[in-house]
Amino acid sequence: MSAGLKGRREARVLVVDDEPQMVKIVEGVLRILGVGSISTAIDGQEALKLVKSSTDKPFDLVVGDWQMPNMDGLEFLEAFRADYPGTAFVMLTAKTDVQAFNSAKRSGATYFFMKPIDAGDLKSRLSSLFDLMAAS
């Protein structure tokens, strides 16, 4: 996880999901939690371009959907991990099979949140995650 994350206000988060409603929910929760910088992408290709072209500090957290067009979440995770092995990565997924879970874990997913997820549960989980990140 990102070293030196002092608070949520300083956090830089990337949300990657092709479902606008899910992006809106995640963004809203992050804002409630006081996250200072939120970027979004609609698929893994767009997210990778955003990451590679960014001149800002690296992202502290990525929240990415598994099933997306063009480049899915697993492909993006693998490409992202090549340059950012220590960044926390939350995989949002409706997949429930153990093989998929293990595949994503091997590729570097830090946490899994099962879809559908409501805003209250997401807020609680992300708040706990930020607490863990700040403690490390």
Side-chain angles (χ1 to χ4, degrees):
M1 286 179 225
S2 291
L5 181 62
K6 293 187 176 104
R8 296 171 187 176
R9 179 73 50 214
E10 292 84 22
R12 189 159 181 251
V13 179
L14 173 60
V15 179
V16 188
D17 200 312
D18 62 318
E19 296 177 33
Q21 187 61 29
M22 193 68 209
V23 171
K24 190 175 177 181
I25 290 168
V26 175
E27 257 188 310
V29 166
L30 290 168
R31 291 198 192 292
I32 289 168
L33 291 174
V35 172
S37 176
I38 304 165
S39 299
T40 64
I42 60 168
D43 62 36
Q45 284 181 343
E46 184 178 309
L48 203 53
K49 286 178 190 171
L50 183 65
V51 168
K52 300 264 185 202
S53 67
S54 178
T55 57
D56 295 328
K57 73 175 185 127
F59 289 99
D60 298 295
L61 172 65
V62 176
V63 179
D65 185 26
W66 188 312
Q67 295 179 276
M68 298 179 288
N70 301 319
M71 176 187 272
D72 69 24
L74 189 61
E75 292 171 310
F76 169 64
L77 170 60
E78 291 169 350
F80 181 79
R81 277 286 174 249
D83 293 323
Y84 303 97
T87 301
F89 196 110
V90 173
M91 184 70 78
L92 298 173
T93 183
K95 292 181 180 277
T96 57
D97 62 283
V98 174
Q99 286 180 327
F101 175 84
N102 288 337
S103 177
K105 196 72 171 159
R106 278 192 305 274
S107 295
T110 316
Y111 302 97
F112 295 86
F113 294 172
M114 299 301 294
K115 282 184 167 184
I117 189 166
D118 67 44
D121 190 27
L122 184 63
K123 180 180 176 224
S124 174
R125 289 171 174 239
L126 288 176
S127 181
S128 296
L129 178 55
F130 279 114
D131 291 346
L132 284 171
M133 291 168 63
S136 64

